[in-house]
Amino acid sequence: MANLLTRQVTAARRLLLFPAPSPGSAATRRSSYALPTALVRRGGLVGGRWVEIPAAFPVQDPASGEELGRVADCGPAEARAAVRAAHEAGAAWGRLPAKERSVRLRGWYELMMENKEELARIITAENGKPLKEAQGEILYSASFLEWFAEEARRVYGDVIPASANDRRILVLKQPVGVAAIITPWNFPSAMITRKVGAALAAGCTVVVKPAEDTPLSALALGELANQAGIPAGVYNVVPCSRQQTAAVGEVLCTDPLVAKISFTGSTATGKILLKHAAGTVKRVSMELGGHAPFIVFDSANVDRAVAGALASKYRNSGQTCVCTNRFLVQKGIHDKFVEKFAKAIERELHVGSGFDAKTTQGPLINEKAVEKVERHINDAVSQGASIVTGGKRHSLGKNFFEPTLLSNVTTKMLCTQEETFGPLAPVIKFETEAEAIAIANAANVGLAGYFYSQDPAQIWRVAEQLEVGMVGVNEGIVSSVESPFGGVKQSGLGREGSKYGIDEYLEIKYVCFGGL
């Protein structure tokens, strides 16, 4: 076994080299042109086999615009085949002792850790985030396989005292069945393992539909799943282009063999999937859009608030569902906060290719994302907002944008009414705690919220009143494998990670044992 793993790890470190770019091209900003051949797959994964089909779509490096390769453009037929494969594998996987499922998941985790550098390079290549952030994502991603490998052995039933002496009441927990996993591009590895780890631990099988911008990470995970001994059909992947996405999504949400849908993405798309799933009354988990407030009260430690703001807003260039979208700063410290925040942005944030060691801000995923940031800035400035720093595209290329800070922002501006998903920090000045809470809770979504205060009574009041699923108190980063991740209002349904995450993939069965 040790020799086999050694050969697998050695193979995973062979590199696929791309032709060197011409001098002066956008791609020369990258410091690496290598992807690991043993982890790069171009076909779909159905029933344990790599499926090549004539149609293919390009995967591009958002930093340079160069094509990284072409991936099988799976359609409804491949999606149905993947569902059937998952269904056929489900009975055997669900009957495996929990300890055995735990061992397989643990093996998958260990292979991720052995190949963490190669997996991180794939993320940076297709997503654009700085390599250091990609390395952090792989550790975070792998941790869900480790966590749920342990949770697999803790799916407990119950015995309930009966009202009659000749009966016993038992409660069993059983896997729901085939789960369709639809994931976004901003965390192309972690959003998969957070769902799939729980599903497989519970005894479910899965069909993964990764985002069209970042399919290589999902396929690399499939290669490692095969190496780890995850049985054929338990983990399936159907990559597809944007043109095929609606049709594939409809299949996954309407096929009667699919029992569960788990989706991370926009609220608008989530509503469409909910309508599809309603026809067969499927179990649904949704982690949808956010509009996170970040409140800084007069009692706050300003330096810590600035550090938290920097981390919360500009991680992954502002392209995270829990990143701050609105800064609310109390009148007494407003000017001081804005001044220090602007200096921190200019001092600590560096725009560039994700493969450059000094880069903290990579490209946005595509030009459409850049245009939305521009639209929000232009709207705010037209209504009286001031650009403190940044405010325009970066000279590095069409997908790069300067980290931007706006002041004199009001709640009538677009950037305070909808999620920007980019490196834009608008600051609203407020006077009272009640005013801040009202502004924060005015949104129809509620994923995450943050606030800084050193007043214990105020901390309790605000934490309880914020209408969000997750609250960071004097903390700008809240995600962890041990914590339940999810929102309220139109930010979704259900929770992921933590001890609660596995419940999303379990049915409760009541057994009445009579005649005793």
Side-chain angles (χ1 to χ4, degrees):
M1 181 66 176
N3 290 335
L4 174 61
L5 286 177
T6 300
R7 290 197 299 272
Q8 291 169 343
V9 174
T10 300
R13 288 175 178 161
R14 294 196 300 269
L15 297 178
L16 171 64
L17 299 179
F18 290 90
S22 59
S25 72
T28 60
R29 302 184 190 103
R30 294 193 301 171
S31 61
S32 174
Y33 300 89
L35 288 176
T37 55
L39 296 183
V40 174
R41 290 290 177 267
R42 310 297 186 188
L45 180 59
V46 177
R49 295 185 177 184
W50 295 105
V51 177
E52 301 286 349
I53 59 176
F57 67 98
V59 180
Q60 295 178 321
D61 172 4
S64 67
E66 285 198 336
E67 186 174 303
L68 298 170
R70 299 180 75 81
V71 171
D73 193 4
C74 296
E78 290 76 28
R80 292 189 188 96
V83 170
R84 287 195 301 271
H87 178 71
E88 290 167 3
W93 179 251
R95 284 197 302 266
L96 273 183
K99 181 178 180 180
E100 181 61 27
R101 292 199 300 272
S102 175
V103 168
R104 303 289 179 94
L105 283 169
R106 179 76 192 190
W108 196 5
Y109 158 77
E110 290 172 351
L111 284 173
M112 283 194 70
M113 295 303 292
E114 290 168 7
N115 292 276
K116 60 186 178 183
E117 294 302 321
E118 290 83 358
L119 291 168
R121 297 177 78 83
I122 291 174
I123 289 177
T124 295
E126 65 179 350
N127 169 278
K129 69 175 59 177
L131 186 58
K132 186 176 181 180
E133 283 193 23
Q135 291 165 340
E137 179 180 343
I138 291 303
L139 296 179
Y140 182 53
S141 176
S143 72
F144 286 106
L145 297 183
E146 180 186 38
W147 174 268
F148 285 113
E150 297 163 354
E151 288 297 293
R153 302 181 69 180
R154 301 190 182 103
V155 177
Y156 302 129
D158 206 354
V159 178
I160 301 173
S163 57
N165 288 334
D166 63 346
R167 292 183 180 181
R168 297 294 182 269
I169 296 175
L170 309 177
V171 176
L172 308 180
K173 291 186 178 180
Q174 298 180 315
V176 297
V178 176
I181 308 295
I182 304 174
T183 57
W185 50 262
N186 57 338
F187 287 90
S189 182
M191 295 302 94
I192 292 174
T193 57
R194 192 164 71 185
K195 300 170 186 294
V196 169
L200 268 59
C204 298
T205 56
V206 300
V207 178
V208 177
K209 205 295 285 183
E212 61 272 12
D213 293 300
T214 55
L216 297 179
S217 292
L219 297 171
L221 287 174
E223 172 60 29
L224 294 181
N226 284 350
Q227 293 181 21
I230 302 297
V234 171
Y235 178 86
N236 304 274
V237 186
V238 284
C240 66
S241 64
R242 185 170 281 104
Q243 290 73 27
Q244 290 275 34
T245 291
V248 170
E250 184 172 353
V251 167
L252 296 179
C253 291
T254 58
D255 193 305
L257 295 180
V258 174
K260 163 80 179 183
I261 305 292
S262 181
F263 169 72
T264 295
S266 72
T267 298
T269 301
K271 290 178 179 179
I272 294 171
L273 299 183
L274 279 169
K275 289 179 180 178
H276 286 320
T280 46
V281 195
K282 300 187 189 303
R283 286 276 295 274
V284 176
S285 297
M286 296 272 163
E287 193 260 284
L288 306 177
H291 192 38
F294 188 109
I295 307 171
V296 185
F297 291 103
D298 281 343
S299 66
N301 180 311
V302 176
D303 291 331
R304 290 185 179 179
V306 166
L310 207 66
S312 176
K313 174 68 257 185
Y314 293 107
R315 184 167 58 115
N316 198 17
S317 299
Q319 299 174 115
T320 80
C321 51
V322 293
C323 75
T324 298
N325 211 62
R326 303 167 288 160
F327 287 89
L328 286 66
V329 184
Q330 199 158 15
K331 183 177 180 181
I333 59 167
H334 173 274
D335 293 350
K336 184 179 181 181
F337 175 85
V338 170
E339 179 184 357
K340 290 194 170 190
F341 195 13
K343 289 180 179 178
I345 291 170
E346 294 165 356
R347 179 181 65 249
E348 298 184 30
L349 301 184
H350 305 281
V351 178
S353 162
F355 285 110
D356 292 338
K358 67 179 182 180
T359 294
T360 63
Q361 302 288 286
L364 273 67
I365 191 65
N366 52 42
E367 194 169 13
K368 184 178 178 182
V370 174
E371 290 170 354
K372 185 175 186 181
V373 177
E374 288 180 322
R375 185 167 68 253
H376 280 192
I377 292 172
N378 292 338
D379 170 79
V381 170
S382 72
Q383 296 188 60
S386 301
I387 298 175
V388 181
T389 187
K392 62 184 184 298
R393 297 193 189 205
H394 198 279
S395 59
L396 282 176
K398 66 179 183 179
N399 290 345
F400 290 89
F401 204 91
E402 296 177 345
T404 301
L405 176 62
L406 299 180
S407 63
N408 300 321
V409 173
T410 71
T411 57
K412 295 181 179 180
M413 298 172 183
L414 270 180
C415 59
T416 67
Q417 296 175 357
E418 59 184 39
E419 191 175 25
T420 302
F421 229 66
L424 171 61
V427 180
I428 302 169
K429 184 188 296 185
F430 72 89
E431 294 193 7
T432 68
E433 178 184 311
E435 179 188 1
I437 294 295
I439 294 172
N441 289 343
N444 62 5
V445 292
L447 189 57
Y450 310 87
F451 69 93
Y452 277 70
S453 171
Q454 296 187 94
D455 179 341
Q458 183 177 64
I459 287 172
W460 280 112
R461 287 194 306 270
V462 176
E464 291 174 350
Q465 290 180 58
L466 282 178
E467 295 173 356
V468 296
M470 299 170 285
V471 180
V473 181
N474 297 326
E475 178 59 62
I477 302 292
V478 297
S479 301
S480 71
V481 67
E482 302 87 359
S483 307
F485 191 102
V488 299
K489 297 181 175 178
Q490 294 185 36
S491 281
L493 304 165
R495 294 295 181 269
E496 295 183 341
S498 79
K499 69 176 184 179
Y500 303 105
I502 199 168
D503 290 339
E504 300 291 334
Y505 299 89
L506 293 168
E507 295 280 18
I508 292 177
K509 178 181 285 184
Y510 154 50
V511 178
C512 180
F513 190 178
L516 299 177

